[in-house]
Amino acid sequence: MIKKYALLTLAFLIFSAAIYFVLEKNKVFNEPEVILPLTKSWEKVVPNQKVPHGLVSLKSEDCGTCHKEYYAEWKTSTHAQAWVDQQFQAELKKESSPFMCINCHIPLQNQQEFIVKGLINGDIYKPVKEKNPLFDSELQKEGINCASCHVRNNVIIGSSGSTLAPHPVKKDPIHLSETLCISCHNANAVVTPTLACTFQTGDEWKAGPFYGKKNCISCHMPETHRSLMEGFPAKKSHFHNFPASGIPKHDTLKPAMLKSLEFYSSNVKKSYKLSDTLKFSLTLKNEHAGHRVPSGDPERFLLIDLVLKTSEGKIIAKTQGRVGESWEWYPVAKKLSDNNLNPGEARSYNFKQLLNAKGKYTLETKVTKHRMTEEAAKYNKIDSSYPRSISIYEKSYGFEVK
Ligand code: HEC
Ligand code: HEC
Ligand code: HEC
Ligand code: HEC
Ligand code: HEC
């Protein structure tokens, strides 16, 4: 009997040792899990905010019941599209998009379903998530809304410290300065080998001729004089439609455009002699932007098309110029070229053609601004209701060769 128990005990010990060995081995092969804190600014969000006293919600729509003009302007801005944007939604669904993609597009914690506590072993694809009890899906749809810029520590941040408001106001002109804009409009990081975040509008501005003279706010939120709410005395105020590229997000939504380029062209005569050479030049000059053009999103580019046609519409000759960056994303993200126009920089596109047949001709000149290439739109399965480009300059010259 004793012998039988001894054998059973021995068998149990061997079994336990085997299990311990297997577990121990796995422990050796699996790296121990350490949760590391978030470090980069864009890994963090603005903490959950409570609704400031005197207000019913954090929603722009509710701010808009009093600040009617502000709401109407903001509604047409690209900031209001930062979450619903078709390309953004398409990219967000990809496995290659890490958690922090949403942090500049829906910057308030209240707009995010999960609170990210840290990263397992610092891996951006392994965030430690917890359900957010204050998540508001309506607020999420608003993208960069009034509260994104104006609510901190549960109060409204203003730049004048008004005492007339029915909600608490904290005066903080430093928060409401270009530093706020730059917190999102300047990120320079290689997130993963094939994913780079390169928005350097802030650095471009600091290096340019407008630094110290005009800033993000003076150009993109020009000053006006009006009441902040109907029935209140008019005072210093700023437009909130954030005009810039003017490339719309839908066929129906047209954000305002700010003009950066001036165009200078040479003359085309009404008539030429056979065997003359037509010489033409179109110059683009970045006169009004406080940074490079294009700026921000590395996918943006301009095309400059100069096309000579016969009166029947047959193309005789054409040239095309391109202003923008070009990137290779695989196997590692790498910028191949970049000829964006610096502030104040001018560039000429020339056209030269021997006129060796009599008849009537037209020289068509056109400049278009593009959000993305057709290939990128196809790759992201973006439908045709999402505009890819707009025309920013068009001029035709008719002439005769006699
Ligand atoms: C019930 C009406 C009402 C609502 C709702 C409301 N406000 Fe106001 N707000 C006012 C009034 C009135 C003023 C003061 C106007 C003045 O000083 O002439 C004001 C002032 C402000 C100011 C300027 C403060 C300063 O001192 O510069 C900001 C910014 C502001 N509101 C933002 C918001 C935001 C953001 C929301 C929504 C989260 C909001 N307001 C909701 C009525 C309202
Ligand atoms: C929380 C991050 C964030 C902050 C803060 C922010 N922006 Fe933006 N901004 C964005 C994002 C994201 C977009 C693009 C949205 C889209 O295209 O869907 C954008 C778009 C814009 C555009 C439109 C660009 C175009 O293509 O036409 C302008 C202009 C702009 N922002 C200016 C500003 C200014 C000025 C400030 C400061 C007062 C500011 N932004 C603050 C994130 C931010
Ligand atoms: C991208 C950031 C941003 C967003 C979004 C935004 N604002 Fe502002 N707002 C500012 C800045 C910056 C100023 C201060 C400009 C200054 O004083 O130089 C300001 C100023 C104001 C003021 C004070 C008066 C004035 O015009 O200077 C009011 C009122 C205001 N905003 C209301 C709103 C409301 C309402 C919304 C949403 C419909 C909103 N803001 C959305 C950045 C923003
Ligand atoms: C001197 C005026 C001026 C200043 C200062 C300025 N901008 Fe602009 N910005 C413009 C103009 C004009 C455009 C339109 C460019 C174009 O033709 O597409 C523009 C375009 C943009 C765009 C869209 C870029 C694109 O290629 O589609 C963004 C984003 C932007 N600005 C953000 C900012 C931010 C952020 C700052 C501050 C760091 C700033 N701007 C400072 C005038 C200015
Ligand atoms: C540091 C802040 C920041 C982060 C993080 C960020 N974005 Fe953006 N995003 C911006 C700004 C600013 C713009 C507007 C740029 C412009 O118009 O010049 C923008 C614009 C966009 C657009 C609109 C492009 C267009 O043509 O209108 C898409 C799509 C986008 N981002 C996708 C992403 C994805 C995917 C990620 C994660 C890999 C991401 N963003 C992370 C700041 C950010």
Side-chain angles (χ1 to χ4, degrees):
M1 199 59 182
I2 291 173
K3 215 173 160 189
K4 198 170 166 192
Y5 275 119
L7 268 176
L8 269 176
T9 311
L10 190 67
F12 177 74
L13 281 177
I14 292 170
F15 180 68
S16 308
I19 294 224
Y20 177 79
F21 181 73
V22 168
L23 286 179
E24 185 58 34
K25 202 172 154 198
N26 271 341
K27 229 197 218 157
V28 171
F29 285 122
N30 280 349
E31 250 180 81
E33 287 191 346
V34 188
I35 297 168
L36 295 178
L38 305 173
T39 50
K40 312 271 183 341
S41 62
W42 53 83
E43 290 178 348
K44 298 176 194 157
V45 286
V46 180
N48 270 333
Q49 298 294 314
K50 294 201 193 91
V51 178
H53 288 293
L55 299 180
V56 295
S57 85
L58 289 169
K59 275 196 300 186
S60 300
E61 205 180 336
D62 290 322
C63 310
T65 55
C66 297
H67 301 293
K68 281 203 176 78
E69 289 178 46
Y70 287 79
Y71 178 67
E73 287 159 13
W74 167 83
K75 249 331 230 180
T76 67
S77 76
T78 19
H79 282 148
Q81 299 292 313
W83 175 256
V84 294
D85 178 70
Q86 256 200 63
Q87 187 193 357
F88 181 71
Q89 285 299 329
E91 290 188 8
L92 207 57
K93 291 192 180 78
K94 292 183 198 160
E95 267 176 38
S96 57
S97 293
F99 79 99
M100 73 275 200
C101 274
I102 62 179
N103 288 351
C104 299
H105 290 250
I106 41 169
L108 284 185
Q109 182 67 75
N110 307 60
Q111 299 180 295
Q112 303 192 4
E113 210 175 335
F114 299 99
I115 299 174
V116 176
K117 294 289 199 184
L119 304 174
I120 297 177
N121 299 336
D123 185 340
I124 55 163
Y125 291 105
K126 289 183 184 158
V128 181
K129 290 174 168 184
E130 204 172 81
K131 272 262 178 202
N132 179 9
L134 291 185
F135 170 59
D136 180 339
S137 62
E138 288 301 310
L139 210 58
Q140 182 180 62
K141 287 184 201 128
E142 291 186 338
I144 299 154
N145 59 5
C146 317
S148 302
C149 293
H150 285 291
V151 180
R152 293 293 183 275
N153 300 317
N154 317 313
V155 299
I156 304 277
I157 310 281
S159 51
S160 74
S162 170
T163 49
L164 303 173
H167 48 68
V169 172
K170 184 175 177 271
K171 183 175 168 177
D172 188 350
I174 309 266
H175 167 79
L176 285 180
S177 70
E178 69 276 4
T179 50
L180 173 68
C181 319
I182 291 172
S183 69
C184 293
H185 283 275
N186 206 80
N188 192 12
V190 174
V191 181
T192 69
T194 61
L195 192 71
C197 219
T198 59
F199 297 99
Q200 286 148 58
T201 309
D203 291 343
E204 292 170 11
W205 167 67
K206 282 180 187 158
F210 288 96
Y211 184 65
K213 296 186 189 110
K214 282 185 153 202
N215 64 17
C216 319
I217 294 169
S218 44
C219 288
H220 291 284
M221 301 181 73
E223 209 176 295
T224 176
H225 197 74
R226 59 177 170 178
S227 3
L228 312 193
M229 179 182 164
E230 230 171 64
F232 282 77
K235 49 163 82 169
K236 187 169 119 177
S237 152
H238 297 84
F239 287 114
H240 271 61
N241 55 347
F242 302 93
S245 71
I247 307 178
K249 294 285 189 183
H250 309 293
D251 303 337
T252 49
L253 184 100
K254 298 230 172 353
M257 186 159 110
L258 260 193
K259 191 176 154 72
S260 61
L261 303 178
E262 290 294 341
F263 301 92
Y264 303 94
S265 58
S266 58
N267 269 337
V268 176
K269 292 190 288 184
K270 283 274 162 242
S271 89
Y272 289 84
K273 287 201 288 286
L274 196 65
S275 302
D276 273 356
T277 299
L278 171 70
K279 283 186 193 154
F280 178 80
S281 116
L282 178 64
T283 302
L284 279 62
K285 188 169 181 211
N286 177 7
E287 287 189 18
H288 311 295
H291 37 73
R292 307 180 79 201
V293 170
S295 184
D297 185 357
E299 286 193 291
R300 302 257 164 123
F301 61 95
L302 300 167
L303 288 181
I304 300 93
D305 284 294
L306 308 177
V307 182
L308 181 64
K309 287 179 175 173
T310 65
S311 52
E312 290 84 42
K314 190 178 157 231
I315 296 173
I316 303 291
K318 59 180 178 178
T319 65
Q320 188 176 65
R322 184 181 188 276
V323 178
E325 301 174 18
S326 78
W327 282 75
E328 184 179 81
W329 299 101
Y330 298 98
V332 283
K334 193 166 82 183
K335 198 198 267 190
L336 301 176
S337 68
D338 176 349
N339 68 350
N340 289 344
L341 289 165
N342 290 320
E345 188 181 353
R347 193 168 305 144
S348 299
Y349 293 86
N350 301 316
F351 184 88
K352 205 171 152 189
Q353 177 66 27
L354 177 71
L355 301 167
N356 54 8
K358 288 182 182 174
K360 285 188 172 154
Y361 296 88
T362 316
L363 178 69
E364 291 176 357
T365 66
K366 191 172 177 175
V367 181
T368 45
K369 184 155 51 183
H370 298 251
R371 181 195 296 294
M372 49 163 49
T373 59
E374 247 341 285
E375 297 83 74
K378 269 206 196 97
Y379 179 74
N380 284 308
K381 300 195 179 69
I382 285 167
D383 69 45
S384 60
S385 70
Y386 190 73
R388 328 282 206 238
S389 66
I390 52 171
S391 168
I392 53 169
Y393 177 86
E394 255 173 272
K395 199 168 175 185
S396 287
Y397 305 85
F399 64 92
E400 200 170 348
V401 178
K402 291 178 183 162

